[in-house]
Amino acid sequence: MQQKKLLYFLISNINADDTDFKQVTISIADYLKLIGVDEGGADRKNLKKEIQNFADKSFWIPEGQKKEVLYRWIDTAEINYETNVITLELHKTVKKFLLDLDKKSRAIFKLGYAMTFKHKYSPDLYAFAASIKDFMVKEKTMYKMPIEEATMKFGCNKYQNSFDWKRRILDPSVKEINEKTDLNLNVEFLKTDKFHTR
């Protein structure tokens, strides 16, 4: 959750007319407030480790049948203890995704709701719900998703049982989104038969 908040903060600093990533500076105090921990003590001591863990995050994405590219979130990171600031820059591999965000996606990050979330999966559900809102309003219908797809999209299949997934991931996320954002989500479970939840 802390890494997601930091990522969303960096994305929120990308402007529509930017052609490249720029370095983003945040005070150590504001960074700790952003990720939801107390300033001082152990949290301040863990600063280097937390940012390094985020910078070390990498993942392979296939491009075509015979090519895979290793993506990273962070290119450079610097902590200046004299001025008490952290300077970060996004990695070039994610340029094509983040510099070309459409207006709606950019607005989601600018709103900054993700900064206030405490539940790990609330940002993912909020971003998804915001992206399909216009479709639902236009079509005057709810958006339907198979339960298998939902548990993978929000929770990476952490809970195979749909009841546990609903209780531990879906319900807390929906509650937080409805309390803190401009959306009001309502989720219904459909059944294909008496026992199988769809």
Side-chain angles (χ1 to χ4, degrees), residues 156-197:
C156 299
N157 261 350
K158 186 175 181 181
Y159 298 101
Q160 298 286 331
N161 183 289
S162 59
F163 175 79
D164 290 336
W165 173 79
K166 179 180 182 298
R167 183 169 57 91
R168 295 180 176 271
I169 292 181
L170 184 65
D171 288 347
S173 297
V174 169
K175 183 175 185 291
E176 191 167 41
I177 289 168
N178 288 344
E179 288 176 351
K180 296 181 177 180
T181 79
D182 58 336
L183 296 182
N184 183 26
L185 302 186
N186 175 48
V187 181
E188 295 180 11
F189 284 82
L190 307 176
K191 292 186 178 181
T192 54
D193 55 47
K194 186 177 180 180
F195 303 102
H196 182 64
T197 300

Side-chain angles (χ1 to χ4, degrees), residues 1-197:
M1 188 67 224
Q2 293 175 355
Q3 292 178 359
K4 282 185 180 180
K5 286 185 176 182
L6 180 55
L7 175 61
Y8 288 169
F9 167 75
L10 293 173
I11 295 174
S12 73
N13 280 273
I14 300 173
N15 298 314
D17 56 351
D18 285 349
T19 57
D20 203 350
F21 290 145
K22 57 180 181 289
Q23 291 188 331
V24 177
T25 299
I26 183 172
S27 71
I28 293 176
D30 284 344
Y31 166 78
L32 294 173
K33 191 183 299 181
L34 171 73
I35 64 173
V37 298
D38 296 326
E39 185 176 0
D43 291 323
R44 195 177 178 98
K45 290 178 182 177
N46 289 331
L47 194 61
K48 278 199 310 184
K49 184 178 179 181
E50 290 169 0
I51 293 176
Q52 183 175 353
N53 286 341
F54 184 48
D56 288 344
K57 287 274 186 184
S58 61
F59 46 97
W60 289 96
I61 295 182
E63 293 188 358
Q65 293 184 341
K66 297 185 178 181
K67 180 180 177 183
E68 288 187 296
V69 178
L70 185 67
Y71 285 81
R72 300 181 187 279
W73 291 118
I74 297 295
D75 183 32
T76 58
E78 178 184 295
I79 304 173
N80 189 321
Y81 295 105
E82 186 176 354
T83 57
N84 281 313
V85 298
I86 302 166
T87 303
L88 301 162
E89 186 173 348
L90 288 162
H91 198 272
K92 62 183 180 181
T93 52
V94 292
K95 273 186 190 178
K96 63 183 178 182
F97 301 107
L98 300 183
L99 289 181
D100 294 329
L101 287 174
D102 58 33
K103 289 182 180 178
K104 184 184 293 183
S105 299
R106 197 177 299 281
I108 290 171
F109 292 109
K110 291 292 184 185
L111 285 170
Y113 290 130
M115 313 303 182
T116 67
F117 289 146
K118 292 184 178 179
H119 192 263
K120 182 177 180 180
Y121 298 102
S122 294
D124 298 336
L125 182 59
Y126 174 78
F128 176 77
S131 73
I132 61 170
K133 181 178 73 171
D134 289 349
F135 163 81
M136 291 190 290
V137 171
K138 181 181 178 181
E139 299 295 326
K140 296 181 180 179
T141 183
M142 295 185 74
Y143 184 93
K144 293 182 181 179
M145 178 186 292
I147 189 87
E148 296 83 7
E149 182 182 340
T151 54
M152 175 58 73
K153 195 175 189 70
F154 311 111
C156 299
N157 261 350
K158 186 175 181 181
Y159 298 101
Q160 298 286 331
N161 183 289
S162 59
F163 175 79
D164 290 336
W165 173 79
K166 179 180 182 298
R167 183 169 57 91
R168 295 180 176 271
I169 292 181
L170 184 65
D171 288 347
S173 297
V174 169
K175 183 175 185 291
E176 191 167 41
I177 289 168
N178 288 344
E179 288 176 351
K180 296 181 177 180
T181 79
D182 58 336
L183 296 182
N184 183 26
L185 302 186
N186 175 48
V187 181
E188 295 180 11
F189 284 82
L190 307 176
K191 292 186 178 181
T192 54
D193 55 47
K194 186 177 180 180
F195 303 102
H196 182 64
T197 300

